[in-house]
Amino acid sequence: MLPVKRQNLGELEMAVLEHLWVTKFGDAKGVHNSVGTQRGISLNTIQSTLERLFKKQLLRREKVSHSYLYSPSVQREELITQLIDDVVKSLSGGKSDYMLSAFVDFAARADESSLDRLEQLIAQRRADNCPDEKG
Amino acid sequence: MSSYFGLFQFGLLASFGFAALTALVSLAVYPLVRQRLIVLAPAQRSNILLVWLLAPAFIGLLFTLLCFMPSFFSLLGVVQDHCNVHDDHLHFCLIHPPLPVDNMISWALIIILGGVVVIFAGIYTLDLVRAYHFHKSLMMTSRYHDEHDIHVVECSRLLAISVGVYRMRVFISKRLMQILTSKQLDVVLAHEQAHSRRKDVLRHLVGRTLSFAHIPCLRRHLLADMDLACEQACDEVAANRIDDRLYVADTIVFIERLFSKQQLPFTALSITGSNINQRVESLLLEPAAYVPAYRAYVLIGAILLIASFASVDGLHHQTESIFGLLTR
């Protein structure tokens, strides 16, 4: 579990995280060289993005010489899982609508006995359809 | 204050009055009609339920416009202006707009109605913003799988959803893809792609937003019934694609079992409850035939239109009389 409720991530924030998930750690200059230069983004923007991610508790940092060295405090899968959990949690309260449709209801579960009964009904129907298989 | 404000004031109150009447009739009639709706093909049922959800708002607006028709015809010079004949009561008229009523009750009503509209609009705007962010986050954290035209989410949770209001995208978690057989995956894809083709999320959004005039308990039932009809319609599409209804039923139960075993970090309870039982039981029956009823719809529409125009004068005068009594 993440220490705080995950907030919405921007495209640049995600790109920075993707970079740090691969390199494991990096300082603002290193991130700027890989992510910022190709996008025409200044070092200051990268620094404030790193600061925001740190405040969201998605990055750790330690001071090395005169600059901060950042590393991810969550892994990719953990972040996505938290995103999904946030949505299920909102839906389960019935308070919100995320404009989605799910193959099986996201936030409501059928109990085991109902599922057993449904399986029996399906098996029964299958047997009725193919009487030869019964014998 | 402009006298056209009076027209707006009465128009708004008349719309809500007609909508409230339709909602009350709807509350009384729906339990009787529901039994007949259940036997219809799910796709047809979902269309009828959407129309039912929109009925109070639509009828409220339509009847209010009809109330203005006599003065509109007078304005066009088609019929003679009749306001001078009835100068003893308030006029629902574009030529002689009524003066605004400046008393506490009418202001309280307008503020309450305006407040309801603002709250609904605010909630749905917030929902749309959340949906947009969720969609964006999913897009950023998933990888496109061009063979199946889906987005694969690298996530330890089990996930099979379609997101997006107009252009829907299907997201399936990598873990679910690893667990499902190729045929089961076909069932899930056929079901989700059917949602996308039918624009079910848009249908739900429109139904939910424009059904505000319904009595809340009936509105919840109608929305739940429409959502169930949409799910069943997509199950039918999957059953046709796979050509095996029982396999689709089996897949639904299989995935529901997987979801039940999934450990969520909180209690997941929905106000609508699970609709798995109805979906599977419906797949065990022979599919209901989709009876094309376009002629019936056109006939009913034509009769309603003729009846509405025939009763324009009566509607206009009765509404004027009621407002006259209320403002005396």
Side-chain angles (χ1 to χ4, degrees):
Chain A
M1 281 286 285
L2 294 177
V4 288
K5 192 175 189 288
R6 194 203 60 78
Q7 293 166 45
N8 293 317
L9 289 176
E11 212 172 309
L12 182 60
E13 289 176 326
M14 199 65 207
V16 169
L17 276 174
E18 291 278 6
H19 170 75
L20 290 173
W21 279 326
V22 175
T23 60
K24 312 287 185 211
F25 56 84
D27 61 4
K29 275 185 187 167
V31 176
H32 179 250
N33 283 339
S34 307
V35 181
T37 316
Q38 63 191 22
R39 292 163 185 252
I41 289 168
S42 71
L43 179 61
N44 274 348
T45 308
I46 293 292
Q47 275 169 334
S48 51
T49 305
L50 287 165
E51 182 69 29
R52 268 203 310 280
L53 289 170
F54 172 72
K55 281 184 181 160
K56 287 180 183 179
Q57 300 186 20
L58 297 174
L59 293 182
R60 278 189 292 261
R61 71 181 180 190
E62 57 177 304
K63 200 154 195 177
V64 178
S65 185
H66 292 294
S67 60
Y68 283 115
L69 198 63
Y70 291 90
S71 59
S73 59
V74 287
Q75 289 311 304
R76 192 172 205 280
E77 198 183 306
E78 203 183 343
L79 182 70
I80 300 168
T81 303
Q82 183 65 37
L83 168 76
I84 306 300
D85 286 351
D86 283 352
V87 175
V88 179
K89 198 172 181 179
S90 298
L91 289 175
S92 64
K95 290 174 191 160
S96 187
D97 200 324
Y98 273 76
M99 318 299 166
L100 60 82
S101 68
F103 183 75
V104 293
D105 197 331
F106 225 178
R109 297 276 66 86
D111 57 73
E112 282 291 311
S113 59
S114 292
L115 294 177
D116 291 342
R117 185 185 68 87
L118 291 172
E119 271 178 353
Q120 278 174 8
L121 284 173
I122 296 168
Q124 179 66 47
R125 178 49 56 96
R126 193 160 272 143
D128 291 346
N129 288 353
C130 312
D132 296 346
E133 286 176 19
K134 261 200 271 185
Chain B
M1 208 178 299
S2 155
S3 53
Y4 277 97
F5 180 72
L7 208 60
F8 169 75
Q9 201 179 29
F10 287 115
L12 189 68
L13 289 176
S15 303
F16 276 95
F18 288 129
L21 268 177
T22 313
L24 285 172
V25 172
S26 193
L27 183 68
V29 171
Y30 187 67
L32 307 171
V33 177
R34 191 170 185 261
Q35 302 305 318
R36 286 174 178 271
L37 283 180
I38 286 171
V39 297
L40 293 178
Q44 197 163 20
R45 191 170 4 120
S46 66
N47 292 341
I48 293 172
L49 285 165
L50 180 63
V51 172
W52 200 299
L53 277 160
L54 306 186
F58 180 73
I59 290 175
L61 190 68
L62 180 76
F63 275 29
T64 305
L65 291 175
L66 286 174
C67 281
F68 285 113
M69 277 298 154
S71 65
F72 182 67
F73 289 140
S74 301
L75 204 65
L76 293 178
V78 178
V79 292
Q80 207 178 355
D81 179 19
H82 70 290
C83 286
N84 297 331
V85 185
H86 305 280
D87 57 355
D88 56 333
H89 64 60
L90 176 148
H91 290 291
F92 221 76
C93 175
L94 296 167
I95 305 167
H96 308 99
L99 286 172
V101 175
D102 200 9
N103 65 30
M104 286 286 283
I105 296 172
S106 68
W107 277 111
L109 268 174
I110 286 176
I111 289 168
I112 290 169
L113 297 179
V116 168
V117 171
V118 168
I119 288 169
F120 265 80
I123 289 171
Y124 295 129
T125 308
L126 202 64
D127 281 346
L128 276 173
V129 171
R130 281 179 178 158
Y132 168 75
H133 283 301
F134 179 55
H135 192 175
K136 206 174 88 175
S137 303
L138 276 179
M139 284 299 285
M140 284 193 299
T141 52
S142 61
R143 293 195 168 87
Y144 183 64
H145 192 294
D146 52 3
E147 189 191 336
H148 294 303
D149 187 24
I150 56 171
H151 294 263
V152 180
V153 185
E154 279 178 39
C155 166
S156 60
R157 295 264 179 265
L158 300 167
L159 183 75
I161 53 172
S162 299
V163 188
V165 176
Y166 189 74
R167 188 177 168 212
M168 293 175 78
R169 290 187 173 93
V170 181
F171 295 89
I172 295 186
S173 67
K174 196 173 176 180
R175 185 159 165 239
L176 188 62
M177 282 189 76
Q178 287 164 345
I179 294 172
L180 296 181
T181 64
S182 145
K183 197 173 174 185
Q184 283 171 330
L185 185 62
D186 284 345
V187 171
V188 175
L189 291 179
H191 178 99
E192 293 303 323
Q193 282 159 359
H195 274 309
S196 179
R197 266 196 307 279
R198 289 169 39 84
K199 307 261 180 283
D200 279 339
V201 172
L202 183 64
R203 186 188 292 261
H204 178 87
L205 177 69
V206 170
R208 191 167 164 247
T209 312
L210 297 180
S211 58
F212 58 90
H214 268 294
I215 310 291
C217 61
L218 178 65
R219 180 173 174 261
R220 275 198 300 277
H221 278 297
L222 285 168
L223 281 170
D225 285 352
M226 187 181 74
D227 287 345
L228 174 64
C230 290
E231 292 300 332
Q232 289 175 330
C234 295
D235 289 340
E236 292 295 336
V237 172
N240 282 338
R241 174 92 60 89
I242 308 298
D243 199 21
D244 187 347
R245 301 174 66 76
L246 297 182
Y247 195 86
V248 175
D250 248 343
T251 306
I252 293 171
V253 175
F254 177 78
I255 293 180
E256 180 66 22
R257 269 205 199 284
L258 287 177
F259 273 64
S260 299
K261 286 173 192 156
Q262 181 164 242
Q263 293 296 311
L264 291 171
F266 41 80
T267 312
L269 283 171
S270 163
I271 50 164
T272 54
S274 169
N275 54 22
I276 295 295
N277 286 299
Q278 295 100 309
R279 284 172 63 189
V280 170
E281 282 165 8
S282 149
L283 284 164
L284 297 180
L285 303 170
E286 285 302 308
Y290 191 111
V291 185
Y294 298 115
R295 280 185 193 170
Y297 295 150
V298 169
L299 190 68
I300 292 169
I303 290 171
L304 285 177
L305 206 66
I306 292 166
S308 302
F309 274 98
S311 60
V312 155
D313 267 339
L315 192 70
H316 170 82
H317 288 301
Q318 292 302 326
T319 310
E320 280 182 340
S321 303
I322 291 169
F323 275 115
L325 282 174
L326 289 175
T327 53
R328 188 162 288 170

